[in-house]
Amino acid sequence: QVQLVESGGGLAQPGGSLRLSCAASGFTFSSYAMSWARQAPGKGLEWVSGIGNDGSDTHYADSVKGRFTISRDNAKNTVYLRMNSLKPEDTALYYCAKDRISRLGIPIRTDEYDYWGQGTQVTVSS
């Protein structure tokens, strides 16, 4: 069965960095786009960043553009999110997700993703 397991969250100071990882199994990882989304306390789910199946195409929400970098290692079935210049408003539960279908492009609607991990908490505070 499909499994997505996030790790790497924690407490960071404003301006600091964290790297999230998402280990995938149970499907042909290299055939699907992957994304990261987040949910802050009391707010809805927000798509953050996505990467195409071969890693050559990436997209970012305006709120993280220039600060976050998504990447993937298809040999390790893992997708990463490097987060730099963290802000308190980046505090959220971060999820990785698998595209519902194998396609060109990267969907930015969260309802286009069919499997989600359990999430990893990121807290940015001094």
Side-chain angles (χ1 to χ4, degrees):
Q1 71 278 21
V2 174
Q3 284 195 316
L4 300 172
V5 180
E6 302 98 335
S7 61
L11 176 65
Q13 292 191 335
S17 298
L18 286 172
R19 189 180 81 154
L20 307 183
S21 300
C22 172
S25 61
F27 65 102
T28 305
F29 182 73
S30 59
S31 295
Y32 293 87
M34 299 290 293
S35 277
W36 288 92
R38 66 187 181 185
Q39 188 163 25
K43 296 189 176 180
L45 191 62
E46 175 192 17
W47 177 85
V48 171
S49 180
I51 187 166
N53 65 308
D54 65 358
S56 62
D57 192 20
T58 58
H59 291 291
Y60 299 91
D62 287 344
S63 57
V64 307
K65 200 171 293 183
R67 300 188 298 120
F68 290 11
T69 303
I70 191 170
S71 62
R72 65 190 295 162
D73 184 338
N74 285 349
K76 295 183 178 180
N77 286 2
T78 302
V79 60
Y80 304 97
L81 186 68
R82 176 69 178 182
M83 306 185 295
N84 294 331
S85 303
L86 283 163
K87 304 175 181 180
E89 51 264 44
D90 294 319
T91 295
L93 191 60
Y94 283 72
Y95 300 93
C96 70
K98 167 191 166 290
D99 193 351
R100 169 172 69 80
I101 60 174
S102 177
R103 68 180 113 192
L104 292 177
I106 303 165
I108 64 172
R109 292 168 52 101
T110 55
D111 62 1
E112 292 287 353
Y113 293 84
D114 58 355
Y115 286 93
W116 296 78
Q118 83 289 346
T120 186
Q121 178 68 38
V122 171
T123 302
V124 184
S125 174
S126 55

